[in-house]
Every structure is written in C-alpha cells, then in structure tokens.
Amino acid sequence: MKIGVYGGTFNPVHSGHVKLAEAYLKGLELDRMLVIPAKTPPHKRVAHLASGADRLAMCRLAFPGTEYEVSDLELNRPGEKSYTVDTLEELNRRYPGQELYLLTGSDMFLTLDQWHESQRIFQLAVMCVGEREPHLQERLKTKARELEALGARCRVVQLEPLVVSSTQVRDRVERGEPLTGLVPPQVEQYIQAHGLYGNGDTSGPF
Ligand code: ATP
C-alpha cells in the first residue's frame, strides 16, 4: 500500500490544500493519505493560531473521503516541536511494510537536506514535491537530483496552481470578507460558527 503523509499547519485548511491532496493521490497513485496538522509551526510565528481541536475538525470537514485519514498524531505528541522524523518513525511502526510518501511544498522541499535527521527521513519515506510555480521547476529538479545523491528517493508531481494561502484566508475573515471558493463551504461555516480568526473579536492577534 502507498500512503501519503501530508503535514501542515492547516490554519485553516483551504481549497489549495484539498487540490494539492487530490493531485498527489492521482499523480502518485496513492492508496491512502494521512493529513496531519502540526502542533506548532516549526519555522514561523502565526497570528491567530486556531486550537489543535479546531484545526483537526476543519481538516475532517475538508477531507471527508474514505481515502483520507485526518490524524492527531502530532497534536497529541508530548513536547513543543513536531519533528517529521518522529512522525515517520511512528507511521513506520503503525504501517510496517507499507510505502510512505512525504508530501512537501516547494519551499520545504528545497531545504529537506537541512532537516533534523534528514538521512533517516530519506530512508523512511519517498520525498514528493508539487510543482506549482513554473519558474521553480528547474530548481526543484536540480534539488531532487542533489537529494538523490544523498540517498533520497524523490518524486516531482505536476500541479495546477491555485492561488490561496491560510494567511489570505485569515486576513479575509478578519476583514469580514467572504471566503467563497477559497475554503470548502463546510470549513467557512465552521469558522463562522466558532468565531475563529478574529471573526468579530477585538482581543488582538495572539
Ligand atoms: P500560511 O499562509 O499560514 O503560511 P499555508 O497556506 O502555506 O499557510 P500550510 O498549512 O503551511 O498552509 O501548508 C501545508 C502544505 O500545503 C505546505 O506544503 C504548503 O506548501 C502547501 N500549500 C499551501 N497552500 C497551497 C496551495 N495554494 N497550493 C498547493 N500547495 C499549497
């Protein structure tokens, strides 16, 4: 079985994430995909970080299909940081003998060799990246060759760009603007119902 491992902050999950997951399922012929919200974003400070429970709930609404499993594995792990290597070790124990495919964005793929225990990551999973910016394609291919020289297995998947980010979604909520087309409708309803991202709140960004 081929299992995709899709981590992110998902603050909130948006239609770009859903489209990316669909492209990976098809492009890599995956049997399943694990969607794993991170506890704290390792490299960035985020205004309005919704609780783990809210981010999990929104991911479950955005990924209802049986091929997806939204996992609280990182949110429930003790400790402040979520290391990808720990997640992959855990999945390797849970799914022995299955092939794991780590799905990364281009920004992350370009720095993979600097990640904590990158050599072990390369043993545990196939490194996958979606090409969405045409000007990055050559850089990603060159990087894939570099990583392969270090022992990684790499796959580059073609993507149709969908210009949306969680930052944009949070900004629109704060300004009271509609989210039509940017997040699945059930996620928009959840954000409104739970008053997330400063939706009508004046308590400041953190
Ligand atoms: P933020 O705006 O808060 O930085 P984000 O929109 O980049 O968030 P993340 O949860 O950090 O969302 O992203 C998880 C993964 O999804 C990353 O690998 C990222 O590159 C990828 N991703 C995010 N937005 C898109 C998009 N529009 N199309 C394809 N991939 C995306």
Side-chain angles (χ1 to χ4, degrees):
M1 198 155 78
K2 294 163 85 172
I3 304 177
V5 181
Y6 185 20
T9 315
F10 301 117
N11 183 42
V13 63
H14 56 64
S15 301
H17 295 132
V18 175
K19 207 170 166 202
L20 180 78
E22 286 166 355
Y24 273 129
L25 273 176
K26 202 159 158 250
L28 299 170
E29 299 178 311
L30 301 175
D31 300 290
R32 292 188 68 191
M33 186 172 304
L34 304 175
V35 177
I36 310 181
K39 188 185 288 185
T40 48
H43 310 296
K44 51 187 179 186
R45 184 160 183 251
V46 181
H48 289 307
L49 179 64
S51 72
D54 282 330
R55 289 183 289 126
L56 265 182
M58 290 188 282
C59 283
R60 293 202 164 112
L61 292 170
F63 294 106
T66 50
E67 61 274 50
Y68 297 107
E69 184 190 331
V70 178
S71 168
D72 61 3
L73 186 141
E74 290 200 0
L75 287 167
N76 281 342
R77 186 189 297 141
E80 267 301 296
K81 279 194 172 173
S82 307
Y83 283 116
T84 298
V85 70
D86 297 335
T87 302
L88 293 176
E89 293 282 14
E90 173 67 28
L91 294 176
N92 193 37
R93 281 191 293 273
R94 283 192 196 180
Y95 304 102
Q98 319 288 358
E99 259 188 300
L100 299 176
Y101 286 72
L102 182 70
L103 314 179
T104 70
S106 48
D107 43 345
M108 294 153 89
F109 186 79
L110 290 169
T111 62
L112 272 175
D113 43 343
Q114 294 152 36
W115 286 21
H116 181 61
E117 294 201 41
S118 59
Q119 284 296 327
R120 183 66 184 140
I121 292 178
F122 298 160
Q123 286 171 348
L124 288 165
V126 179
M127 303 297 109
C128 308
V129 64
E131 296 181 347
R132 43 179 169 146
E133 299 92 352
H135 69 277
L136 266 183
Q137 291 182 11
E138 273 316 303
R139 258 180 90 195
L140 292 176
K141 284 183 187 147
T142 306
K143 190 70 194 184
R145 285 194 291 271
E146 276 172 39
L147 294 174
E148 279 162 3
L150 297 171
R153 294 156 289 158
C154 298
R155 295 286 300 272
V156 182
V157 173
Q158 207 72 44
L159 291 181
E160 293 293 321
L162 184 64
V163 185
V164 48
S165 68
S166 297
T167 305
Q168 183 193 4
V169 172
R170 293 192 301 274
D171 289 348
R172 289 183 70 93
V173 174
E174 206 169 7
R175 292 197 298 263
E177 294 168 4
L179 299 180
T180 320
L182 298 179
V183 300
Q186 304 91 311
V187 172
E188 181 168 11
Q189 282 157 20
Y190 188 99
I191 291 171
Q192 279 167 3
H194 293 79
L196 302 182
Y197 306 119
N199 189 357
D201 129 287
T202 51
S203 60
F206 294 103

